[in-house]
């Protein structure tokens, strides 16, 4: 038999020992290299290389991908562009996954590779470079970059509180390193996004004073400064900063963006020359076609009437219409043409071109909104409020909420909707009365024709739906990659991307429609104006059940005033609508001629209407505003002679009437407080006497319902049940809108029907109970937004593993707040409930940002159902109160009111 040496060759034992020794040495070095507790050359090298080429590299690549997605989001060229694309909400949602990954990778670098231990000092004298090295707080070169990456990722997600915390940490901890300046610029941008312009100004001033500020960041600083001014609408101040930013950047797409914004500013300021110049420079830079086209269009619309010949511009725009490349942009070209015609004083031609713009708008909801808005403005000036309302309403459903003057347009739309509602009420009731007077055969034939029209329209809509469905299926067969089944999940409602796509497609076609019946019907006026409305005549009969099928004869007959009582109600609706319309013309639109015309119609149609006195006073005021002394005196005399005891007559006769009224109000308040105290002291006869006095002294005062209620309760206390019933009935009849009506009804029900007191309390609305608890909460809790706050999670002791919950919250804090040393603890609230406490936050805003962030993180509460915990933020003062009061529900009512 052969020996092992003969079989395998001679075995060199000394060589094997050397090999094992070397492997062991390498293994020990690797182990020692992984430690962050020792600061040696080997440790630093290992952690710098591993951090850079592993977690940091992957995180930074994810950040770059996210930024690329943000830069690929579309701009809204109909409004002033933001300096940075990341300012929009669409940009924030475009890259959430990439930014979350960047945050986690940055946290990993900080957690695993941070070296804060000092290296061993050499005994020889140190150079300045060595001294600086030993003074460092961090010895892994990629930790500061990871903090910057984390802060930027939070910023791009619009988690501005976390971003600010991170950048502040960078500035404080790395104040001798170049990364400090990056942190300062990003912190300035964060303050601008938070609209904290005071702190932003302090920071940009500090940056301007930095002698060692790096040249590489000069362009970014100027752009940030421009953004600071633009967000405050200080356009003139932004101009030199934008010009400096253009010089400071080498990126062509940034230069194009800054020049486009400059052109928009000059256009807004009415400087057509500079606007045309910069739009031209944008075109020369050849950016994406969307921007190039928009620059060309805006260059054309910068034309000012009387400043030159518009024929060349119109010719140029018509030439653009014929270019196949501009087919999808024709709506904008027609809009530009309409603007030119309107500026030249040709509104009829402008209207035609705005309507052509709407016809050509397919996917561009921003352009649709502008065309609707322009038409609304034209008809408002005419004035034709019905058409103006229709166009404003369409505009507001599509308009970007960041559009300049959005709130004013929305308010105008709401006001016009109210006014057109009154106009339609008058028109509808007049039409219904007219139809009701027709012979039965003619009336029924009219309704049959109406039903046929509705059936034809519905048939047409179904056919259009069917055709859309066929087209959609053909599209999916040709483009399987675009099918909903291939986007994120199989079932539509489990597929967020599909839902988002569906919402976008719906909004593109229909706008932000309200949830209502017949939302798709193109011609709702057939039904809405004539046979439907908020106040139909038949609706006054609460006992009758309305027919809801609009393809039956009964559906339409139920609204017709076919008898005297329904005709009376119909006239009442017209009377009320005319008064409200006239009032709205006066108070809301300040259209005094329309208000006069409507008041005249009201008083002519209904000479003895209940609004006669109020209409006279409004007419007196209108003519006073118009300096028509003759007419104002006429209505003043009418009021004084026909209504001598009215408040209006007293106002006109007595210049000090309002002062006397104020004194009376003060006296009524004093007497009520005195009466309430007498009731608490059980001096019931004094209460009754005071209430009787108030009946004559303060007859029309707002406190009268409360006086009367105290009187009723006092009658009950002295066993005068009949008197109590009479007073309670008076409250229900005379003060139907008062706070004391409902309790009066409950007490009267008990007295007249023999209900038990418990049954009375059972019938009380839950709202009353909540209001009582809310009132108690307001007494014991104090809202102080600028004091320190805590975050609390309340759970039942025996049902939830409190240690597991603490662990999950601690992990969440480490992943998303690694630079902040939050304290997480638990504490018993009582025998039933336990609390996890996270502290502390400087103020309400910081605490609310944390609260919103932890809500969106499913991992923290994954082991609990929604009903197993309550969580909220609370000031330290209120926490002490909660601990004494022990009523969590009471504080949650306070929290929901003041914090949500």
């Amino acid at each position: 038999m052969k020996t092992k040496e003969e079989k395998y060759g001679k075995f060199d034992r000394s060589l094997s020992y050397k090999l094992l020794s070397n492997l062991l040495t390498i293994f020990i070095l690797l182990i020692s290299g992984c430690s962050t507790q020792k600061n040696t050359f080997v440790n630093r090298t290992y952690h710098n290389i591993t951090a850079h080429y592993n977690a940091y590299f992957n995180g930074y690549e994810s950040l770059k991908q996210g930024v690329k997605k943000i830069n690929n989001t579309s701009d809204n060229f109909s409004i002033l562009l933001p300096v940075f694309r990341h300012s929009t909400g669409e940009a924030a949602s475009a890259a959430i996954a990439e930014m979350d990954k960047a945050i986690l990778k940055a946290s990993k670098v900080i957690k695993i590779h941070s070296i804060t231990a000092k290296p061993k000092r050499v005994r020889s004298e140190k150079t300045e470079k060595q001294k600086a090295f030993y003074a460092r707080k961090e010895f892994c070169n990629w930790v500061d970059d990871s903090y910057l990456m984390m802060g930027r990722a939070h910023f791009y997600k619009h988690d501005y509180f976390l971003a600010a915390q991170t950048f502040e940490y960078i500035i404080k901890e790395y104040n001798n390193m170049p990364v400090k300046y990056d942190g300062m610029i990003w912190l300035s941008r964060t303050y601008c996004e938070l609209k904290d312009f005071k702190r932003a100004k302090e920071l940009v001033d500090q940056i301007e004073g930095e002698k060692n500020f790096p040249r590489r960041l000069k362009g970014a600083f100027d752009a940030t400064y421009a953004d600071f001014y633009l967000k405050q609408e200080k356009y003139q101040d932004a101009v030199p900063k934008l010009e400096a930013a253009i010089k400071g950047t080498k990126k062509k797409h940034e230069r194009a963006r800054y020049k486009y914004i400059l052109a928009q500013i000059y256009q807004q300021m009415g400087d057509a020359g500079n606007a045309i110049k910069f739009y031209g420079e944008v075109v020369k830079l050849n950016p994406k076609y969307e921007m190039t086209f928009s620059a060309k269009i805006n260059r054309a619309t910068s034309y000012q009437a009387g400043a030159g010949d518009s024929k060349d511009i119109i010719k140029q725009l018509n030439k653009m219409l014929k270019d196949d490349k501009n087919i999808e942009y024709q709506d904008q070209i027609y809009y530009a043409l309409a603007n030119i015609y309107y500026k030249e004083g040709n509104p009829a031609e402008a209207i035609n071109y705005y309507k052509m713009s709407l016809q050509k708008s397919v996917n561009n909801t921003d352009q649709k909104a502008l065309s609707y808005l322009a038409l609304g403005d034209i008809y408002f000036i005419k004035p034709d409020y019905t058409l103006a309302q229709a166009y404003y309403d369409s505009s507001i459903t599509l308009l970007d909420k960041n559009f300049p003057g959005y709130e004013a347009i929305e308010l105008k739309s709401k006001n016009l909707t109210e006014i057109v509602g009154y106009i339609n009420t008058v028109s509808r009731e007049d039409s219904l009365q007219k139809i009701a007077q027709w012979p039965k055969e003619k009336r029924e034939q009219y309704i049959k024709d109406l039903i046929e029209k509705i059936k034809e329209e519905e048939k047409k809509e179904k056919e259009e739906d069917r055709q859309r469905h066929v087209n959609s299926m053909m599209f999916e067969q040709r483009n399987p990659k675009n099918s909903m089944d291939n986007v994120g999940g199989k079932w539509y409602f489990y597929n967020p991307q599909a839902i988002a796509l569906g919402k976008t497609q719906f909004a593109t076609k229909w706008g932000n429609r309200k949830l209502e019946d017949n939302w798709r019907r193109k011609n709702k006026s057939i039904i809405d104006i004539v046979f439907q409305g908020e106040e139909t005549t038949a609706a006054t009969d609460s006992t009758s059940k309305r027919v809801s099928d609009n393809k039956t004869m009964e559906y339409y007959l139920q609204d017709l005033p076919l008898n005297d009582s329904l005709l009376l109600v119909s006239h009442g609706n017209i009377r009320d609508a005319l008064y409200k319309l006239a009032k709205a013309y006066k108070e809301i639109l300040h259209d005094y001629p329309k208000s006069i015309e409507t008041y005249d119609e009201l008083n002519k149609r209904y000479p003895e209407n209940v609004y006669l006195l109020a209409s006279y006073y409004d007419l007196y005021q209108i003519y006073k505003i118009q300096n028509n002394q003759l007419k104002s005196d006429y209505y003043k005399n009418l009021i004084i002679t026909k209504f001598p005891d009215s408040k209006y007559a007293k106002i006109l006769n007595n210049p000090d009437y309002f002062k006397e009224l104020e004194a009376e109000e003060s006296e009524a308040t004093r007497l009520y407080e005195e009466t309430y105290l007498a009731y608490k002291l059980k001096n019931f006869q004094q209460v009754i006497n005071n209430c009787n006095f108030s009946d004559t002294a303060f007859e029309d005062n707002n406190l009268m319902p409360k006086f009367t209620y105290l009187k009723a309760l006092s009658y009950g206390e002295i066993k005068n049940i009949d008197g109590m019933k009479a007073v309670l009935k008076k409250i229900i009849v005379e003060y139907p809108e008062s706070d004391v009506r409902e309790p009066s009804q409950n007490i009267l029900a008990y007295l007249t029907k023999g209900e038990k007191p418990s049954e009375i309390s059972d019938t009380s609305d839950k709202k009353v109970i909540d209001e009582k608890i809310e009132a108690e909460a307001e007494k014991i809790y104090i809202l102080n937004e600028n004091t320190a706050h805590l975050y609390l999670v309340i759970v039942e002791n025996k049902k939830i593993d409190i240690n597991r919950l603490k662990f999950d919250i601690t992990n969440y804090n480490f992943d998303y707040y690694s630079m902040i040393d939050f304290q997480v603890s638990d504490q018993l609230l009582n025998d039933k409930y336990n609390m996890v406490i996270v502290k502390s936050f400087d103020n309400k805003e910081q605490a609310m940002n944390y609260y919103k962030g932890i809500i969106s993180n499913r991992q923290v509460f994954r082991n609990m159902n929604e009903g197993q915990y309550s969580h909220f933020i609370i000031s330290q003062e209120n926490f002490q109160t909660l601990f004494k009061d022990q009523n969590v529900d009471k504080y949650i009512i306070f929290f929901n009111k003041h914090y949500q």
Side-chain angles (χ1 to χ4, degrees):
M1 185 181 288
K2 291 183 179 181
T3 64
K4 286 183 180 180
E5 288 184 10
E6 290 172 328
K7 189 174 182 179
Y8 300 108
K10 193 172 180 180
F11 188 74
D12 190 341
R13 293 181 182 276
S14 63
L15 183 61
S16 67
Y17 288 138
K18 286 180 182 178
L19 182 61
L20 286 169
S21 175
N22 288 337
L23 288 171
L24 184 62
T25 303
I26 292 168
F27 180 73
I28 291 167
L29 283 171
L30 286 172
I31 292 295
S32 64
C34 288
S35 171
T36 57
Q37 302 305 311
K38 292 183 178 180
N39 189 342
T40 65
F41 174 76
V42 174
N43 293 54
R44 292 195 299 274
T45 303
Y46 169 81
H47 283 287
N48 278 323
I49 291 172
T50 310
H52 183 194
Y53 293 105
N54 191 350
Y56 181 79
F57 176 82
N58 291 328
Y60 196 68
E61 285 299 307
S62 185
L63 184 81
K64 287 197 296 183
Q65 288 171 16
V67 172
K68 188 176 179 180
K69 277 189 176 182
I70 289 169
N71 288 333
N72 284 334
T73 55
S74 58
D75 277 310
N76 182 358
F77 292 100
S78 63
I79 61 174
L80 187 69
L81 290 187
V83 175
F84 307 110
R85 283 179 184 266
H86 54 60
S87 291
T88 66
E90 182 192 354
S93 59
I96 289 174
E98 288 79 8
M99 297 307 162
D100 281 340
K101 183 178 178 181
I103 291 165
L104 290 172
K105 294 298 181 183
S107 298
K108 189 174 181 181
V109 172
I110 296 162
K111 182 178 180 181
I112 298 173
H113 299 293
S114 176
I115 302 173
T116 55
K118 297 288 184 183
K120 289 184 179 178
R121 295 181 178 274
V122 294
R123 294 183 180 178
S124 59
E125 191 171 339
K126 294 185 284 294
T127 63
E128 290 300 318
K129 190 175 180 181
Q130 286 174 325
K131 287 178 182 177
F133 175 75
Y134 283 111
R136 286 170 62 174
K137 294 180 180 179
E138 175 58 62
F139 292 88
C140 177
N141 296 335
W142 297 98
V143 169
D144 59 331
D145 296 285
S146 295
Y147 275 119
L148 183 62
M149 178 168 71
M150 180 187 288
R152 288 178 64 191
H154 283 309
F155 179 88
Y156 286 128
K157 284 179 65 183
H158 290 196
D159 288 341
Y160 296 125
F161 164 64
L162 293 177
Q165 291 278 3
T166 311
F167 298 136
E168 286 168 358
Y169 180 84
I170 290 168
I171 294 166
K172 180 183 175 184
E173 291 296 313
Y174 303 103
N175 60 341
N176 292 321
M177 297 176 69
V179 74
K180 164 185 130 177
Y181 300 109
D182 296 85
M184 292 172 81
I185 285 180
W186 282 101
L187 185 57
S188 302
R189 292 185 186 180
T190 307
Y191 287 149
C192 287
E193 295 296 340
L194 289 168
K195 301 196 183 325
D196 188 348
F197 298 117
K198 183 182 177 184
R199 293 170 84 175
K201 184 69 170 80
E202 290 171 358
L203 200 52
V204 292
D205 286 346
Q206 185 183 339
I207 293 170
E208 281 193 316
E210 290 281 348
K211 293 180 181 178
N212 298 321
F213 189 77
R215 288 185 64 186
R216 67 182 174 87
L217 295 175
K218 182 70 172 62
F221 170 68
D222 288 323
T224 302
Y225 217 148
D227 186 53
F228 165 77
Y229 282 125
L230 286 177
K231 278 186 165 55
Q232 298 176 82
E233 299 181 2
K234 296 179 179 178
Y235 303 120
Q236 192 73 53
D237 293 326
V239 168
K241 299 302 177 185
L242 278 169
E243 289 172 342
I246 291 166
K247 293 176 183 176
T249 180
K250 295 179 181 178
K251 296 177 180 177
K252 192 172 77 168
H253 71 91
E254 287 184 351
R255 290 204 306 277
R257 188 177 190 84
Y258 300 156
K259 287 189 176 187
Y260 189 94
I261 296 169
L262 265 176
Q264 286 182 303
I265 291 171
Y266 283 124
Q267 189 175 16
Q268 195 165 306
M269 289 164 57
D271 187 344
N274 270 319
I276 291 167
K277 172 193 167 187
F278 279 102
Y279 281 130
E281 290 184 16
V282 171
V283 174
K284 287 178 185 176
L285 285 169
N286 196 28
K288 288 183 179 178
Y289 188 69
E290 256 190 323
M291 181 176 279
T292 301
F293 175 83
S294 186
K296 287 180 180 179
I297 288 292
N298 283 328
R299 184 171 59 183
T301 55
S302 294
Y303 158 79
Q304 295 292 327
D309 190 1
S310 65
K311 289 180 182 177
D312 289 338
I313 300 171
I314 292 171
K315 186 178 178 181
Q316 181 188 348
L317 290 171
N318 282 319
K319 186 179 177 182
M320 289 173 71
L321 277 173
K322 296 173 185 175
D323 190 340
D324 290 343
K325 195 165 52 175
N326 294 330
I327 287 174
E328 64 177 299
Y329 302 110
Q330 284 185 350
D331 54 346
Q332 296 178 55
I333 300 171
Y334 281 120
Y335 178 78
L337 286 164
N339 282 341
I340 292 170
Y341 284 118
Y342 188 71
K343 285 177 183 178
E344 291 192 325
N346 191 345
E349 197 66 17
I351 288 170
N352 289 334
Y353 277 97
Y354 284 132
K355 288 180 178 179
M356 288 172 75
S357 172
L358 287 170
Q359 287 173 11
K360 295 293 181 181
S361 279
V362 180
N363 296 319
N364 191 346
T365 55
D366 295 326
Q367 183 55 61
K368 265 188 179 180
L370 289 175
S371 298
Y372 279 131
L373 180 61
L375 285 165
D377 287 338
I378 289 173
Y379 284 112
F380 185 81
I381 292 167
K382 270 184 178 270
D384 183 333
Y385 296 128
T386 302
L387 275 174
Q389 184 274 333
Y391 284 117
Y392 280 130
D393 186 58
S394 297
S395 176
I396 211 71
T397 60
L398 299 170
L399 207 59
D400 189 313
K401 290 191 176 181
N402 294 319
F403 186 83
Y406 177 88
E407 292 81 5
I409 298 164
E410 185 180 38
L411 179 62
K412 188 183 282 187
S413 176
K414 286 179 179 176
N415 289 338
L416 285 175
T417 299
E418 179 186 340
I419 286 163
V420 170
Y422 301 141
I423 293 171
N424 286 342
T425 296
V426 175
S427 174
R428 182 182 66 245
E429 296 296 343
D430 281 339
S431 298
L432 290 172
Q433 288 183 21
K434 182 181 177 182
I435 295 168
Q437 290 170 5
W438 288 349
K440 183 180 178 182
E441 294 78 11
K442 181 181 177 180
R443 183 166 61 235
E444 291 184 353
Q445 187 57 50
Y446 175 79
I447 293 171
K448 284 175 184 177
D449 293 343
L450 192 60
I451 291 169
E452 282 305 310
K453 283 183 184 179
I454 291 168
K455 286 179 178 178
E456 286 173 17
E457 190 176 318
E458 287 184 356
K459 185 179 177 182
K460 186 179 176 182
E461 285 178 357
K462 282 179 182 177
E463 178 57 29
E464 288 175 356
D465 278 346
R466 189 191 68 77
Q467 191 59 49
R468 274 194 294 269
H469 181 66
V470 169
N471 293 342
S472 176
M473 289 183 69
M474 289 174 66
F475 177 78
E476 287 183 5
Q477 286 173 4
R478 293 172 187 168
N479 304 275
K481 288 182 180 179
N482 293 326
S483 173
M484 286 294 184
D485 290 341
N486 294 313
V487 189
K490 291 197 173 180
W491 191 47
Y492 180 89
F493 291 103
Y494 286 160
N495 185 339
Q497 285 176 276
I499 292 171
L501 179 60
K503 283 181 179 177
T504 303
Q505 290 172 343
F506 181 90
T508 298
K509 181 165 187 179
W510 303 105
N512 299 315
R513 295 292 180 100
K514 297 174 185 176
L515 291 172
E516 58 181 10
D517 293 335
N518 300 319
W519 62 269
R520 287 178 17 173
R521 192 176 296 282
K522 293 175 186 175
N523 186 13
K524 290 199 285 182
S525 59
I526 295 172
I527 298 173
D528 288 353
I529 295 178
V530 179
F531 285 103
Q532 287 185 342
E534 291 178 7
E535 297 176 358
T536 57
T537 50
T540 56
D541 184 3
S542 60
T543 60
S544 61
K545 189 175 180 181
R546 288 186 59 80
V547 179
S548 58
D549 185 355
N550 68 344
K551 291 185 284 294
T552 63
M553 182 72 66
E554 292 76 14
Y555 177 81
Y556 301 98
L557 291 175
Q558 67 188 343
D559 285 332
L560 294 175
L562 296 171
N563 57 46
D564 290 344
S565 60
L566 289 178
L567 187 62
L568 194 63
V569 172
S570 179
H571 280 298
N573 289 338
I574 295 172
R575 179 201 62 212
D576 294 346
L578 284 171
Y579 172 72
K580 290 173 183 176
L581 180 60
K583 195 81 173 172
Y585 282 142
K586 173 180 176 276
E587 304 290 346
I588 297 174
L589 298 184
H590 307 296
D591 188 338
Y592 301 125
K594 280 280 188 184
S595 183
I596 292 169
E597 180 188 319
T598 310
Y599 272 133
D600 286 346
E601 183 182 353
L602 168 67
N603 295 334
K604 184 179 178 181
R605 291 182 68 169
Y606 306 103
E608 298 302 322
N609 72 84
V610 294
Y611 304 113
L612 192 62
L613 172 59
S615 72
Y616 285 170
Y617 188 73
D618 276 349
L619 287 165
Y620 158 78
Q621 287 186 315
I622 291 169
Y623 285 120
K624 196 84 173 169
I625 292 167
Q626 293 182 331
N627 294 318
N628 189 334
Q629 194 65 41
L630 188 66
K631 281 284 190 179
S632 66
D633 286 346
Y634 170 76
Y635 282 103
K636 177 181 177 180
N637 292 330
L638 267 181
I639 292 167
I640 293 169
T641 54
K642 289 187 75 172
F643 306 96
D645 297 326
S646 67
K647 279 187 180 180
Y648 296 115
K650 290 175 183 176
I651 292 167
L652 294 171
N653 281 323
N654 182 4
D656 295 326
Y657 177 75
F658 284 112
K659 289 180 182 178
E660 292 172 5
L661 201 63
E662 189 177 333
E664 181 185 299
E665 185 71 30
S666 177
E667 179 61 24
T669 303
R670 186 199 62 75
L671 181 64
Y672 178 75
E673 289 171 355
E674 181 184 304
T675 306
Y676 184 75
L677 180 61
Y679 179 80
K680 296 292 282 183
L681 296 172
K682 301 186 184 300
N683 192 348
F684 302 119
Q685 192 55 55
Q686 182 64 45
V687 172
I688 294 167
N689 293 340
N690 286 357
C691 291
N692 290 335
F693 175 77
S694 70
D695 278 343
T696 52
F698 314 116
E699 185 179 356
D700 298 323
N701 195 276
N702 291 332
L703 289 171
M704 282 311 300
K706 292 185 176 182
F707 272 115
T708 313
Y709 186 62
L710 284 179
K711 182 179 179 181
L713 295 179
S714 297
Y715 273 135
E717 293 289 349
I718 62 174
K719 311 301 181 187
N720 185 347
I721 304 303
D722 290 337
M724 186 181 194
K725 286 180 184 178
V727 176
L728 291 170
K729 287 175 182 176
K730 180 182 177 183
I731 292 170
I732 295 164
V733 173
E734 294 186 13
Y735 311 115
E737 302 299 323
S738 70
D739 295 338
V740 295
R741 183 194 178 190
E742 188 175 344
S744 298
Q745 284 178 315
N746 291 334
I747 296 169
L748 193 60
Y750 167 66
L751 295 174
T752 56
K753 294 183 181 179
E755 292 180 0
K756 296 177 182 177
S758 61
E759 290 173 338
I760 292 173
S761 63
D762 287 342
T763 60
S764 298
D765 196 329
K766 183 179 181 296
K767 184 182 175 184
V768 176
I769 299 167
D770 286 345
E771 287 175 353
K772 184 179 178 183
I773 296 172
E774 183 183 321
E776 291 174 3
E778 293 293 336
K779 286 179 183 177
I780 63 173
Y781 292 113
I782 300 166
L783 179 64
N784 188 341
E785 298 183 4
N786 298 315
T787 193
H789 278 65
L790 314 172
Y791 169 74
L792 264 62
V793 185
I794 311 289
V795 296
E796 287 191 45
N797 289 336
K798 296 176 183 178
K799 292 185 179 180
I800 301 298
D801 183 347
I802 199 73
N803 291 320
R804 178 72 203 184
L805 179 58
K806 279 170 57 184
F807 177 78
D808 289 337
I809 292 174
T810 302
N811 271 349
Y812 169 79
N813 290 344
F814 194 85
D815 285 341
Y816 293 94
Y817 297 86
S818 56
M819 79 298 297
I820 304 173
D821 187 20
F822 284 129
Q823 295 177 36
V824 181
S825 59
D826 65 288
Q827 184 175 339
L828 281 171
L829 178 63
N830 50 43
D831 293 339
K832 188 177 179 182
Y833 292 109
N834 208 338
M835 301 182 289
V836 175
I837 306 167
V838 180
K839 60 181 182 183
S840 65
F841 304 90
D842 293 342
N843 51 44
K844 171 190 169 182
E845 183 183 357
Q846 290 182 6
M848 277 304 293
N849 281 325
Y850 181 90
Y851 172 78
K852 290 173 184 175
I854 205 167
I855 283 175
S856 63
N857 190 289
R858 297 180 181 177
Q859 292 299 310
V860 176
F861 302 109
R862 66 187 183 280
N863 297 315
M864 292 185 286
N865 297 323
E866 208 169 296
Q868 291 183 304
Y869 68 95
S870 300
H871 66 144
F872 45 80
I873 64 168
I874 187 169
S875 68
Q876 289 187 340
E877 290 174 282
N878 286 337
F879 175 71
Q880 301 299 326
T881 306
L882 172 63
F883 202 77
K884 291 176 185 175
D885 185 59
Q886 297 283 303
N887 189 331
V888 176
D889 292 335
K890 189 186 295 183
Y891 177 74
I892 288 174
I893 288 175
F894 179 84
F895 171 76
N896 288 335
K897 180 179 178 182
H898 294 287
Y899 288 83
Q900 294 284 53

